[in-house]
Amino acid sequence: MKNLKISVLFVCLLCSSACGVQQAKQAINSEKQSTLTQKPKATPKNIILMIGDGMGISQITAGMYSNNNYLELERCTHIGLHKQHASDNLITDSAAGATVFSIGRKSNNKYLGLDSLGNPHQTILEYLSSKKYKTGLLVTSTIVHATPAAFYAHQKSRNDYEKIAVDLMATDVDLLIGGGKKYFNRRMTDSLDLIEVLKNRDYLVQDYFDQDLNNWIFPIGQKLAFFTSDGDPEKQSKGRTYLPSATAKSIAFLNQPNAKGFFLMVEGSQIDWGGHDNDANYIIAEMLDFDKAIKAALDFAQADQNTLVIITADHETGGLAIIGGKKFGDLKTAFTTENHTADLIPVFAYGPGAELFSGIYENTEIYNKMMQLMGKD
Ligand SMILES: [Zn+2]
């Protein structure tokens, strides 16, 4: 009887390990499965990737119903859905969620620019920069926060802001706009002055003390870094207004006639923070601010005809639902969590190659499709 029990246990162990291998293979296959067989009708010169952090369908809907039933992102011609899960979790965080867009591999939560085994990979920003494209990052969080950091840092912890700032010194990004100046020149872990390092690397460095970003004319001809705050930038409702105008000016700055093209990542960072706070008004204000930035990108792409705009999110935050309301602009909302959820995430695209973004696919495909359109499989 004892022997029987042992052999049953052994068979079960074998089975569960075989099933585990099978599942792992399926996971890897689903990651490798690609829609690259689809050929684009045309390819873009420039890509603007716009990430609304924590922006699921409900956040978009709440913004739209609070804005006379209209959002600029409705101008996009193609819509898809991506599967947001991370390597080690059904629900991604913003580090793995942006890393998958930057290196095309699912990773573990908290990892930046690394695959799930911890190996660093060149990001799309680093690749395009090496190919003489102009590149830029524009956010309403700190510039070392998970989403922007995933495009230049290679770290196992998204919380190591000072290490992430050091990683930025090895990147040839042409334009940086976001908060977090203190991680560069008043550091807790060492006495480095990374503002000086930036200046020595030919950046013009400005910040909110010197300039109102809304009034600043971006000088052409050198690299720019603008710190919008010492720590986290303010909420839109507390007076932060730079994202829409900075989007238009960043595009104009990067669209230099002698460049091969440009890659700009714009993040509406605080839609996610409103979700964590379970604060519908915070979400709506940030969503509408992000939508104004979307207008700036789409206006340029429409006139230019050579620019692909992709608008998506890393994940949904808050499990937001709209559960009633008497009229547009008077919504009754509810939340199911203070964290992220596992919902499918919408992808909106406009411009040459936009048709590739229709369908339902893994989040790795966002990277694959961008790289395909920029000439690298
Ligand atoms: Zn979050």
Side-chain angles (χ1 to χ4, degrees), residues 53-54 92-94 145 158 272-273 276 314-317 338-340:
D53 201 303
T92 193
D93 75 348
S94 297
H145 210 255
R158 58 178 286 180
D272 174 67
W273 302 357
H276 286 293
D314 41 5
H315 53 73
E316 193 274 345
T317 306
E338 292 180 350
N339 289 310
H340 305 162

Side-chain angles (χ1 to χ4, degrees), residues 78-82 345-348 357-361:
H78 293 78
I79 301 169
L81 291 167
H82 78 67
I345 295 299
V347 184
F348 304 83
F357 292 84
S358 294
I360 301 177
Y361 40 83

Side-chain angles (χ1 to χ4, degrees), residues 48-55 82 93-95 97-102 124 137-141 146-151 243 263-272 286-287 290-291 293-294 309-315 345-346 348 366 370:
I48 304 171
L49 174 62
M50 308 192 73
I51 301 174
D53 201 303
M55 184 187 74
H82 78 67
D93 75 348
S94 297
T99 291
V100 80
F101 299 153
S102 76
I124 185 169
L137 297 170
L138 163 60
V139 299
T140 52
S141 61
T147 303
F151 288 85
L243 189 68
F263 174 79
L264 172 64
M265 192 286 289
V266 179
E267 186 193 31
S269 316
Q270 297 194 30
I271 301 168
D272 174 67
E286 294 296 332
M287 182 68 225
F290 185 53
D291 195 54
I294 290 169
V309 181
I310 305 156
I311 304 152
T312 189
D314 41 5
H315 53 73
I345 295 299
F348 304 83
I366 305 275
M370 290 192 296

Side-chain angles (χ1 to χ4, degrees), residues 350-371:
Y350 178 93
E355 67 278 7
L356 265 57
F357 292 84
S358 294
I360 301 177
Y361 40 83
E362 292 293 334
N363 52 2
T364 45
E365 288 300 294
I366 305 275
Y367 167 92
N368 290 336
K369 292 168 195 297
M370 290 192 296
M371 290 298 263

